[in-house]
Amino acid sequence: MIAEFGLAALWLAAALSALQLLAGVLALMRPEQAAVTAGRRGHAPSVADPPETGPGPLVRPAAVLQAALCATAFAALLVLFARTDLSVSLVADNSHVAKPMLYKLTGTWGNHEGSMLLWVTVMALAGGLIAAVERRLPERTMLATLAAQAFVALGFYAFLLFSSNPFTRLSPAPPQGMGLNPLLQDVGLALHPPTLYAGYVGLSVAFSFAVGALVTRQVTPEFAKVMRPWVLGAWVFLTLGITAGSYWAYYELGWGGWWFWDPVENASLMPWLAATALLHSASVLAARDALRAWTIMLGVLAFSMSMLGTFLVRSGILTSVHAFAVDPQRGTFILALLLIYIGGALVLFALRAGTVSEGERFAPLSREGALVVNNVALSAILGIVLLGTLYPLLTEAFGVRVSVGPPYFNPVGAIFFLPMLVVLAVGPLLRWRGDSFKRVSRPVIMVAAVGLGVLLLVWLLTGIALLPLLGMALAAMVGVGSFLPLRGRSLLRLPLPVWGMVIAHFGVAVALFGMAADSAFQTERLVASRVGETIRVGPFAVELAAVSPTAGANWTAITADLQVRYDGGAPRSMAPQSRSFWAPQQEVSEVALLTRWNGQLYAVIGGEAPSEAAGETMGQSGTSRWQLRLWWKPFVTFIWYGGLLIALGGTLSLVGRVSEDLRRRTRRGLIAGRRAEALA
Amino acid sequence: MNSPRSRPALKPKHQRLVLVVLAVLALFGAGLLAAWGLRSQANYFYVPADMVADPPAPGQAVRLGGMVETGSIATLPDGITIRFVVGDGQERVPVTFAGIAPALFVEGSGVVAEGALLANGTFAATNLLAKHDENYMPRELEGMSTAQARTTVAETLE
């Protein structure tokens, strides 16, 4: 029953999105009277608009109801997974009766259909939210925005219902279920995909706003102010999702790395790059009414990258172009959606961009100029990542198998990333519109001196490779530079968004320092060790105290007991495991981490090493040796602290913007009230 | 508040044009850089026949894909270095790997080894990628052409 209920809710939600689209389009085709009069009246016309008749008023309730129905469908799937209802094909394929409850629930989105349902649910919730609360834009722009949101959602509802139905029944029901990939049986799965999707799909709002503004030709600073908090919110989630995903891959895969330039990772990085550029250009549009067309373009681009990422991850094309050709239905479906939405938006942009009149001018040396550098650099990095991700797919279609990895991404990306950081360190000091070298020369010289000093010091003391060395120097420059906008200002009266900027920029410095330190100073030991032996790695002495068998709910394992001393201090325990799951059958290593303020010790146990050839181990035969892999990773944790700081900065900025807007709205309400009284 | 401290300004049309041209130039530069970077990556993936016929420069980071020959895996006395042979039905390349091999790395199955060719003709792997799936069935590579072997390896791995 619950499955049918969920499916019905999903169909209804799809129907409502069709209604929302239709009503929105019909309302937009009516004569533009309201908008014209509103335009003459200037800003904030929606407050005083006369109540509209016709299909227009249907749009907002449809969006809200659609969100509620879609959330209901998702809740139904959660219930099915919680009960392990094996008569539902998706549950039978991806769950198991003997799985812990948490992983039963998170298993809901640990598969293709469930994850697409989560995708659509986030999209519907985002649309419902703007329909419910956003009242600052001209009503026609809102109608166009919500119609665009419904148009995109409709395609993905169709995808879900026709080619990825999560509620399909299975008859007869199997007794147990296939189980969930053990790598996914982790708390990381509970947090990472929902956060990532909230950001990824939350960007659909920016896309719809951009389309709405293009349709009604209303690209104004007010528009940027309205769009900015929504982009900020999505961007904060995306930042958290990427940070959590990176940490999850780091401790779950057992390879000691935190970023692999894997296409799936790139799929989440590309929307983040576009959204970061969008945030910065939107602030130029909001503050100075410049970069109008460019901001709209980025709004389209950010969500286009999300959809492209969905295509890459969900079509099976990454496994192999051939696998894609064998079962092309899903992939072709998403590809068609991509072409319609991205192509349609770009055509609309090409038609309308010329009519978006030019914004205010600015001198090259100005806040705007610095932000343009930021935007161009971010776009260039986006292009480099995009080409590197798609290139193997292209060549494979022509029969040549190529892998593109860090040797491409790191140096080529750095060519644009490092100069961007230099501008980041000093850009926030510049004034809007135009500035002079003389006015900013002191802080610029100071930042440059810090950078050069760190560069020379680190180079002379350690002689590390070029990229980490530059990373260290730039981290120092950005770290110092990020706090300079606070100079001479009252810290208590500083607006929250400025604090947000300072903290997010400082987060970039912290993360960069972590990356540089980890790649330059990590030490690794790989040994086959007997119980009782001590291994030295970096400043640690690690004793293999015991190895014992362990068992869990759906796995058995060997667990090593490591006694670890840092610099001869008190011993601490670590217990890396090598687990054998039996549903499905797979071996997974559980990493043990020891976190200190200045880094992490990372320990993996492999298995029993084959016994040595006779004669080589005189007197010691009979004791088995265990494969151990240990890394000392100085300051690696700073990478994720930095990510969290960036997200915190975004959150502060968001809180500041929203509360400022609420205050303005109450004030405006008061004035309107007084005016009404006076008239009466 | 905004005193005209900027230089005699360009005409609006011109400023827009300059911005667009600069942005296009930068993006074009990024494209060229990417193309150059990718060109030097084009030989990143090798099967043994390619590696013997046209070996990569010693020390260059490449991937080697093929089948682990039956009976070829041996562990060295240090307990963590393994030695095995990767073949594609035509040529064979000896490989060494120090580390914890993935659970599905077994004789007779496919593998992609990341690493570099040494001057003595041995491939020193720093990472082994074996398919992380129990449903994987190794395919026969005997007697296949390089292109076929390449396709098969590509299909069965990752």
Side-chain angles (χ1 to χ4, degrees), chain A residues 325-625:
Chain A
V326 170
D327 180 19
Q329 195 202 1
R330 284 176 177 170
T332 318
F333 206 128
I334 308 186
L335 195 58
L337 291 179
L338 272 185
L339 290 178
I340 294 172
Y341 296 137
I342 302 179
L346 289 182
V347 167
L348 184 66
F349 180 79
L351 290 177
R352 287 287 164 89
T355 69
V356 174
S357 57
E358 182 181 12
E360 296 287 323
R361 280 171 292 152
F362 50 87
L365 184 72
S366 63
R367 182 81 71 85
E368 292 97 318
L371 287 168
V372 165
V373 174
N374 148 303
N375 267 250
V376 170
L378 281 170
S379 310
I381 297 169
L382 172 61
I384 285 162
V385 176
L386 181 67
L387 283 174
T389 310
L390 296 184
Y391 184 70
L393 300 175
L394 288 177
T395 59
E396 201 191 339
F398 294 104
V400 182
R401 176 89 172 168
V402 178
S403 307
V404 179
Y408 163 75
F409 287 106
N410 288 346
V412 180
I415 291 175
F416 286 88
F417 185 54
L418 300 181
M420 186 182 87
L421 291 172
V422 174
V423 177
L424 194 164
V426 294
L429 300 173
L430 299 174
R431 286 193 179 148
W432 292 110
R433 197 184 179 95
D435 211 332
S436 65
F437 282 109
K438 221 177 118 195
R439 201 187 68 82
V440 290
S441 60
R442 271 234 305 245
V444 167
I445 289 172
M446 187 179 122
V447 166
V450 167
L452 272 177
V454 170
L455 191 80
L456 280 175
L457 204 66
V458 175
W459 184 60
L460 288 176
L461 288 181
T462 63
I464 55 178
L466 180 66
L467 271 187
L469 183 64
L470 288 175
M472 290 270 177
L474 281 165
M477 283 171 70
V478 173
V480 172
S482 62
F483 285 104
L484 287 181
L486 300 179
R487 270 182 335 153
R489 298 183 70 164
S490 152
L491 295 189
L492 287 176
R493 258 187 269 153
L494 206 61
L496 268 184
V498 177
W499 276 114
M501 176 188 79
V502 166
I503 289 175
H505 286 174
F506 183 63
V508 173
V510 171
L512 185 67
F513 171 68
M515 295 171 195
D518 176 51
S519 75
F521 302 125
Q522 69 161 304
T523 45
E524 183 191 351
R525 281 297 301 279
L526 179 67
V527 289
S529 186
R530 290 185 184 78
V531 170
E533 285 181 346
T534 297
I535 310 135
R536 298 214 138 261
V537 53
F540 288 91
V542 180
E543 187 198 347
L544 179 61
V547 176
S548 51
T550 334
N554 49 356
W555 46 265
T556 56
I558 50 162
T559 308
D561 175 14
L562 303 178
Q563 294 299 319
V564 181
R565 288 168 193 275
Y566 179 83
D567 233 0
R572 290 170 67 179
S573 299
M574 289 175 83
Q577 275 185 342
S578 175
R579 289 186 185 172
S580 304
F581 282 79
W582 43 265
Q585 243 179 22
Q586 189 168 332
E587 276 182 37
V588 173
S589 70
E590 285 288 308
V591 172
L593 295 169
L594 188 134
T595 310
R596 291 176 49 88
W597 67 271
N598 59 349
Q600 267 181 338
L601 183 67
Y602 188 108
V604 180
I605 181 166
E608 194 175 343
S611 57
E612 290 157 273
E616 276 186 359
T617 54
M618 282 172 287
Q620 288 186 335
S621 57
T623 47
S624 36
R625 297 189 305 167

Side-chain angles (χ1 to χ4, degrees), chain A residues 319 356 358 361-362 376 380 387 391 401-403 407-408 416 431 434 526-528 584-585 587 606 609-610 616 625 627, chain B residues 5 9-10 12 15-16 19 26-27 30 33-34 38 41-42 44-45 63 75 77-80 98-100 103 134 154 158:
Chain A
T319 317
V356 174
E358 182 181 12
R361 280 171 292 152
F362 50 87
V376 170
L387 283 174
Y391 184 70
R401 176 89 172 168
V402 178
S403 307
Y408 163 75
F416 286 88
R431 286 193 179 148
L526 179 67
V527 289
Q585 243 179 22
E587 276 182 37
E616 276 186 359
R625 297 189 305 167
Q627 294 180 326
Chain B
R5 65 176 77 76
L10 295 161
Q15 188 184 19
R16 195 179 202 181
L19 270 180
L27 293 179
L33 268 173
L38 288 169
Q41 296 294 320
Y44 201 39
F45 186 86
R63 288 183 173 188
T75 308
D78 66 0
I80 37 118
I100 296 168
E134 82 285 6
E158 279 194 293

Side-chain angles (χ1 to χ4, degrees), chain A residues 37-108:
Chain A
T37 47
R40 272 191 213 123
R41 235 182 285 133
H43 280 316
S46 57
V47 179
D49 271 348
E52 242 193 290
T53 50
L58 282 178
V59 173
R60 285 182 192 256
V64 175
L65 197 57
Q66 179 209 330
L69 281 168
C70 202
T72 310
F74 186 72
L77 194 64
L78 269 180
V79 172
L80 290 174
F81 267 88
R83 295 187 181 171
T84 321
D85 186 339
L86 294 169
S87 70
V88 174
S89 156
L90 187 67
V91 181
D93 284 346
N94 295 288
S95 199
H96 193 278
V97 278
K99 208 166 60 168
M101 189 53 166
L102 176 67
Y103 302 140
K104 283 184 180 173
L105 285 178
T106 59
T108 310

